[in-house]
């Protein structure tokens, strides 16, 4: 079904490309004599005249150059002919008009299996992959991997810090309850005492109630700080992980098309070595050209997501450092204020030693 939609268009459209500083236009060519009836664009390289102009895409047929037909030429002959041209190069081309979604639907299972294969390769060591004859070059050269690992370490640090701080506040709340209970207990003892002992236990009871009050105030100030830190962990981190998931999926899809093209190249090479060309090649190699187009689209999407992930990681890291510094500074100030207040309360409650008749307390009980 998808092949029926893969029909080249031959209206004699032309595009003129200037040469780059290196003298190249930025195309690689495939097909041609003796097995394929046409020449076509295999790849358009980034930041080249062809890429910047944007008309020619992977899979498009090249019909003529500067008015001279390319029919019957090998890809090597065509490349040398283009290199010998001085100045601008005018290509007459046929646009490959096809809905790549139909190809993706038809080859869905095959491409899924190739994506899974690359995911497995990514988890292998280089030695294991080499022994199996698999390549990890693209995966290992992904410099974003280290940045993503750093992001996960930061996320883990945040999570551990927030969990520990949460337990600290819970324990602090329990301790405040103990202070309040001890304040009530010392008040009851003070009622039963007389003179200096009564005054001392009253002061001591008030001190513990003040500890409870100061602790409660600390928890009120600490809670917003915890919520602020939690925003990074519970909102920014999951959002970043979703972006990373999309990026990884795009990367594996691009690599899957690279693997598909390699398989088709190997198949074509095997048949050509037997001087028995593939039917798809003799018919214009349309399927191969569609895969080239799919790979180009997957690569463009992959590079776009790669750029987005880089920018997002950079912003997130700067926000992480800024927020962490700001919130930890607030946390330290709040905690220090509590300890200073608790120390002041303790200084005022220095009522020991206390003379008390324990026999009277026992009798009262």
């Amino acid at each position: 079904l998808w092949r029926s939609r893969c029909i080249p268009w031959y209206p004699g459209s032309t595009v003129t490309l200037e040469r780059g500083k290196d003298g190249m236009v930025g195309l690689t060519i495939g097909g041609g004599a003796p097995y394929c009836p046409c020449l076509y664009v295999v790849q358009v390289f980034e930041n080249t005249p062809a890429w910047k102009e944007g008309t020619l895409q992977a899979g498009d047929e090249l019909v003529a150059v500067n008015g001279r037909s390319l029919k019957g030429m090998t890809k090597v002959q065509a490349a040398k002919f283009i290199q010998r041209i001085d100045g601008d190069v005018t290509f007459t081309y046929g646009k490959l008009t096809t809905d790549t979604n139909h190809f993706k639907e038809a080859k869905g299972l095959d491409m899924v299996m190739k994506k899974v294969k690359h995911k497995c390769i990514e988890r292998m060591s280089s030695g294991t992959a080499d022994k199996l004859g698999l390549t990890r070059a693209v995966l290992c050269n992904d410099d974003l991997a280290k940045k993503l690992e750093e992001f996960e370490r930061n996320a883990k640090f945040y999570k551990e810090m927030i969990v520990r701080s949460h337990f600290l506040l819970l324990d602090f709340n329990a301790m405040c309850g103990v202070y309040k209970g001890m304040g009530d207990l010392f008040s009851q003892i003070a009622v039963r005492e007389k003179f200096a002992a009564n005054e001392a236990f009253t002061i001591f009871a008030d001190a513990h109630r003040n500890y409870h009050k100061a602790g409660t105030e600390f928890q009120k100030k600490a809670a917003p700080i915890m919520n602020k830190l939690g925003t990074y962990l519970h909102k920014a981190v999951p959002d970043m992980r979703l972006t990373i998931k999309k990026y990884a999926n795009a990367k594996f899809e691009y690599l899957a098309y690279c693997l598909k093209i390699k398989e088709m190249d190997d198949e074509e090479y095997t048949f050509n070595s037997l001087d028995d060309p593939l039917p798809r090649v003799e018919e214009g190699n349309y399927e191969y050209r569609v895969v080239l187009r799919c790979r180009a689209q997957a690569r463009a999407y992959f590079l776009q997501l790669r750029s987005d992930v880089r920018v997002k990681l950079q912003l997130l890291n700067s926000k992480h450092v800024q927020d962490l510094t700001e919130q930890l500074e607030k946390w330290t100030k709040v905690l220090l204020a509590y300890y200073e207040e608790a120390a002041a309360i303790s200084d005022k409650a220095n009522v020991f030693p206390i003379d008390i008749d324990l026999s009277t307390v026992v009798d009262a009980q």
Side-chain angles (χ1 to χ4, degrees), residues 171-191:
D171 293 340
F172 212 91
N173 184 62
M175 184 177 68
C176 288
V178 172
Y179 281 143
K180 185 175 183 302
M182 291 182 68
D184 294 339
L185 179 61
F186 285 126
S187 292
Q188 294 175 14
I189 296 175
V191 170

Side-chain angles (χ1 to χ4, degrees), residues 234-251:
H234 301 301
K235 292 184 179 180
V237 170
D239 180 64
M240 188 65 216
R241 281 180 176 150
L242 181 61
T243 303
I244 292 171
K245 185 177 179 181
K246 290 180 180 178
Y247 160 74
N249 186 63
K251 177 176 73 172

Side-chain angles (χ1 to χ4, degrees), residues 270-329:
T270 300
F271 275 77
N272 289 347
S273 65
L274 299 173
D275 200 23
D276 183 20
L278 284 167
R280 64 171 169 82
V281 175
E282 292 181 316
E283 293 172 1
N285 218 359
Y286 297 148
E287 181 180 352
Y288 182 77
R289 290 160 60 187
V290 172
V291 179
L292 289 175
R293 178 66 60 82
C294 289
R295 182 183 68 171
Q297 293 174 349
R299 177 178 173 80
Y301 182 57
F302 159 62
L303 292 177
Q304 179 60 51
L305 281 180
R306 184 186 181 86
S307 175
D308 292 346
V309 169
R310 285 181 184 277
V311 172
K312 207 165 186 177
L313 273 176
Q314 186 175 358
L315 292 174
L316 204 59
N317 284 335
S318 61
K319 179 176 175 59
H320 153 70
V321 173
Q322 181 180 353
D323 282 359
L324 182 63
T325 303
E326 181 182 347
Q327 299 309 319
L328 287 183
E329 184 179 357

Side-chain angles (χ1 to χ4, degrees), residues 25-147:
V25 294
L27 299 174
T28 54
I29 301 173
Y35 301 112
C36 186
C38 63
L39 288 158
Y40 47 82
V41 178
V42 172
Q43 186 173 359
V44 180
F45 294 103
E46 286 86 0
N47 300 316
T48 62
W51 182 81
K52 293 175 181 177
E53 200 281 332
T55 298
L56 292 177
Q57 295 177 290
D60 290 344
E61 180 176 349
L62 300 177
V63 180
V65 175
N66 283 15
R68 178 176 173 179
S69 174
L70 298 178
K71 189 174 181 62
M73 288 189 184
T74 66
K75 59 185 177 183
V76 175
Q77 291 171 337
K80 288 181 178 179
F81 172 66
I82 294 170
Q83 289 173 355
R84 287 197 298 267
I85 296 174
D86 294 327
D88 298 346
V89 182
T90 300
F91 290 94
T92 303
Y93 64 92
K95 202 70 178 170
L96 180 69
T97 56
T98 183
D99 185 356
T100 54
N101 289 327
H102 286 275
F103 172 82
K104 293 176 182 178
E105 291 173 3
K107 302 293 182 180
L109 181 59
D110 183 31
M111 302 312 295
V112 167
M113 294 303 296
K114 286 176 170 55
K115 288 169 69 173
V116 171
K117 181 178 180 180
H118 275 101
K119 289 181 181 180
C120 293
I121 295 173
E122 188 180 47
R123 292 176 174 84
M124 292 180 185
S125 65
S126 299
T128 304
D130 291 340
K131 289 177 182 178
L132 294 174
L134 304 173
T135 177
R136 283 168 46 89
V138 179
L139 299 171
C140 292
N141 292 334
D142 188 359
D143 62 340
L144 268 181
K146 292 183 179 179
K147 293 183 179 181

